[in-house]
Amino acid sequence: MRTAVVVGAGIAGLATAGALARTGWKVTLLERDDRLRASRAALVLWPNGVRALRALGLAGGLDSISTPIPPAGIRRPDGQWLVRPGAAGLESPPVVVHGEDLHDAFIAGLGDQVDVRGGVEVQSARVTRERPAVGDGRVTFEADLVVAADGADSAVRRRLLTATTFASAGFAAWRAVIPWYRAPQLPPDLPPHGETLGTGHRFVYTSLGEQGGSTRGGISWVATVPGALRPEPTAGQLALLRRWFAGWHAPVPQLLAVTEPDDLVQEPVGELAPLPETFGVPAGPGGYALVGDAAHAMPHHLAQGACLALEDVATLQAVLVNGPLGPALQEYNRRRRGRVSRMLVLSRKAGAALQPKSRLAGLGRARSGVFDKAAAAATEWAGPTG
């Protein structure tokens, strides 16, 4: 039986561990926290992400935990339209799902072939003619395959590909989900999804399910502002957000007013620079594979992070079906790196449209054009065997 060590138990790590276990691998999943924790934020899945979930056999209950996102257009902070809603032009609309619901689906898909180890912070990775191995300074974990799913600051990638680092894009972002019982009373004609652009600032909100339905339903929002991560406690960060978005049209101030500090999830906005030269590193008869943000962290402007991670996992599962691991990892890199590079270019264009120096008059249409191209790029991914 082939063996694998998966480092990191986020979306990419859980999906990888389950995918390998279901295809006959014995898997050890390492997580630095003492237990597996779900994201408190919501995630957007474009059609390519949904297609990847289907390839992994994890889309069976997606309809019951996700909400379609209708076309919404783009507004100015005063409520005037920059771009009016139009047809999405996709085979199916993107959907939004609570991170806890997706986490539960992945946990259910782990099976009994996954040995979960909490409280393990990987610090080293071995690249020799021996089998690949990682360690936390106390214990060494060796396997035929090591999968780095430990995020943008991946310890495994730092050891294997030293030229790549995480570079800030000059923005910070916050996410939150307001449960329905705390959600503000909104105008009945307000659409369930909306995006507003200011000069360097962006606010997007999306309804999760119907009010009174899922216990994890509510209203999800994402705010992006220029600058670095804020060092203040979450209560101070929330006060700043309320000040920065004061006077914006409904429901922006209303959502921030009912947000509590514990709701906030602050995230850096940036990318890996340069992109790793390979997503698959041979080591002896086996090797390492990079998935998700460990391979290609990029700004969240296109909401493709989770989707690209799931594409990675579905592709890795497909190339590992037969044959030696070295050629399989080369094939994984061949299929993924070009795809990721194209999405990274689009992400940079979206970020350029958000820069404070950008003129608001042309910002909406520029951003709408970027999103149209991103949607086309998302739908061109035909599946893991392409």
Side-chain angles (χ1 to χ4, degrees), residues 51-321:
R51 194 176 294 122
L53 278 177
R54 291 198 185 103
L56 292 167
L58 294 172
L62 185 62
D63 289 345
S64 64
I65 61 174
S66 64
T67 305
I69 301 176
I74 305 173
R75 293 180 184 268
R76 299 166 55 108
D78 61 7
Q80 295 183 15
W81 289 106
L82 286 167
V83 178
R84 291 188 176 275
L90 300 175
E91 61 188 66
S92 58
V95 299
V96 60
V97 59
H98 199 294
E100 293 180 355
D101 287 325
L102 199 59
H103 180 268
D104 288 350
F106 288 160
I107 291 293
L110 289 180
D112 58 4
Q113 291 294 325
V114 179
D115 177 16
V116 179
R117 306 282 187 94
V120 179
E121 185 169 1
V122 168
Q123 300 173 359
S124 64
R126 182 178 70 197
V127 185
T128 67
R129 293 183 180 180
E130 303 175 69
R131 293 202 307 168
V134 293
D136 66 350
R138 300 169 301 168
V139 181
T140 298
F141 300 88
E142 185 180 273
D144 299 313
L145 174 70
V146 172
V147 180
D150 48 343
D153 194 34
S154 168
V156 179
R157 188 199 64 245
R158 291 201 312 268
R159 173 63 180 86
L160 302 176
L161 301 158
T162 57
T164 297
T165 58
F166 182 77
S168 172
F171 292 91
W174 288 263
R175 299 176 185 268
V177 175
I178 311 304
W180 281 123
Y181 72 86
R182 237 193 310 128
Q185 292 294 322
L186 302 177
D189 59 343
L190 196 71
H193 172 69
E195 175 179 0
T196 305
L197 293 178
T199 304
H201 292 62
R202 179 190 182 209
F203 195 97
V204 180
Y205 74 90
T206 307
S207 293
L208 282 166
E210 297 291 335
Q211 191 160 4
S214 169
T215 57
R216 288 176 179 163
I219 301 178
S220 166
W221 62 258
V222 181
T224 307
V225 301
L229 290 177
R230 302 299 305 193
E232 298 89 351
T234 52
Q237 296 172 26
L238 183 56
L240 288 171
L241 286 166
R242 289 169 176 166
R243 184 199 311 167
W244 290 330
F245 290 94
W248 284 40
H249 68 83
V252 178
Q254 292 87 345
L255 289 173
L256 289 172
V258 299
T259 300
E260 297 180 354
D262 286 346
D263 299 328
L264 283 185
V265 178
Q266 184 181 201
E267 300 175 337
V269 180
E271 66 179 64
L272 296 187
L275 198 66
E277 60 189 54
T278 180
F279 296 163
V281 179
Y288 295 84
L290 277 63
V291 297
D293 283 349
H296 46 67
M298 64 182 69
H300 68 281
H301 306 315
L302 301 179
Q304 278 288 330
C307 297
L308 291 174
L310 292 171
E311 286 184 21
D312 291 344
V313 179
T315 303
L316 185 63
Q317 181 190 52
V319 301
L320 291 175
V321 171

